[in-house]
Amino acid sequence: MDEELRSLTERLRRESGASAAYERLVEAEDLDELAAVLTEPGQPLWARELAAFRLGLAGDSRAFESLVLLLNHRDPQRCASAAHALARLGDPRTARAAAALATNELRVAYALHPVRLLAELRAPESVPALITTLERRLRPHDPYRRVALACVEGLGTLGDTRARPVLNQALAHPSLAEAAVHALARIPSPRRGP
């Protein structure tokens, strides 16, 4: 069993009180049954999360909207589970949605998992969104250092030369300097002329 699925099912078992409805959703093999949970009124959050997660792992795009909402949730565990499922969903809208969430200054407190998802996706939107988010986190006394660190690490993973200027700026921040050095080491050096 997928480790993230195991963690999610244990968490949601507790949240649901190990109800019969929970057991039915865990055992369900019919994707239409899972998708119906996402549109039926009155479904508890745990049921929607479990259905969306399972649909995402199955590559069913009906999970997309629910997973994006969960990616921006105040509960970090829900965000992590949603990011995991979105990375496996394979929906072409995912990178654009993650970039919008990562760069939304009104929701920056919840940007950690969208930032990590962008690095994992390696989509065309990833580098520009991570650069924008990191530039905003380099302001004095910014409280979102974990988001900034995730941007630095993600830019290093992506290894795109466009990240070099913002990573050089990150060197001046003690909490980011070591990660920025490692990220810069992963970016190819600019070519010199003949």
Side-chain angles (χ1 to χ4, degrees):
M1 177 185 276
D2 178 285
E3 178 61 28
E4 189 66 33
L5 177 59
R6 186 191 62 70
S7 174
L8 174 118
T9 55
E10 286 177 10
R11 176 171 54 83
L12 297 183
R13 176 178 284 117
R14 289 188 303 273
E15 193 173 317
S16 71
S19 66
Y22 165 82
E23 295 299 336
R24 188 175 62 252
L25 282 178
V26 167
E27 301 294 326
E29 294 188 23
D30 181 3
L31 297 182
D32 290 335
E33 180 182 347
L34 292 171
V37 172
L38 301 179
T39 57
E40 289 173 359
Q43 290 291 331
L45 181 58
W46 66 260
R48 293 182 190 281
E49 181 181 2
L50 181 55
F53 185 87
R54 293 202 52 221
L55 287 167
L57 292 186
D60 190 315
S61 64
R62 292 177 287 183
F64 177 76
E65 287 85 4
S66 295
L67 289 171
V68 169
L69 288 172
L70 290 165
L71 181 64
N72 196 32
H73 197 274
R74 67 183 174 276
D75 179 351
Q77 291 177 311
R78 292 197 199 287
C79 298
S81 295
H84 181 82
L86 281 164
R88 281 134 194 89
L89 178 60
D91 191 297
R93 301 171 290 176
T94 300
R96 194 169 45 251
L101 293 174
T103 58
N104 182 345
E105 277 299 289
L106 298 176
R107 301 289 293 172
V108 69
Y110 310 107
L112 181 63
H113 292 285
V115 163
R116 289 178 177 164
L117 178 58
L118 284 167
E120 185 175 352
L121 292 174
R122 298 180 167 273
E125 296 88 347
S126 297
V127 171
L130 294 181
I131 289 172
T132 297
T133 304
L134 180 56
E135 284 173 340
R136 293 172 180 168
R137 304 287 59 86
L138 296 179
R139 296 179 188 137
H141 312 296
D142 185 85
Y144 304 107
R145 282 294 169 219
R146 290 185 62 212
V147 173
L149 183 59
C151 288
V152 169
E153 292 168 349
L155 289 168
T157 298
L158 296 170
D160 190 298
T161 57
R162 293 175 291 175
R164 191 174 287 286
V166 74
L167 290 172
N168 280 325
Q169 292 172 29
L171 291 171
H173 298 264
S175 62
L176 303 175
E178 184 178 346
V181 167
H182 292 293
L184 284 163
R186 297 178 77 179
I187 295 175
S189 298
R191 293 187 178 203
R192 305 258 182 216

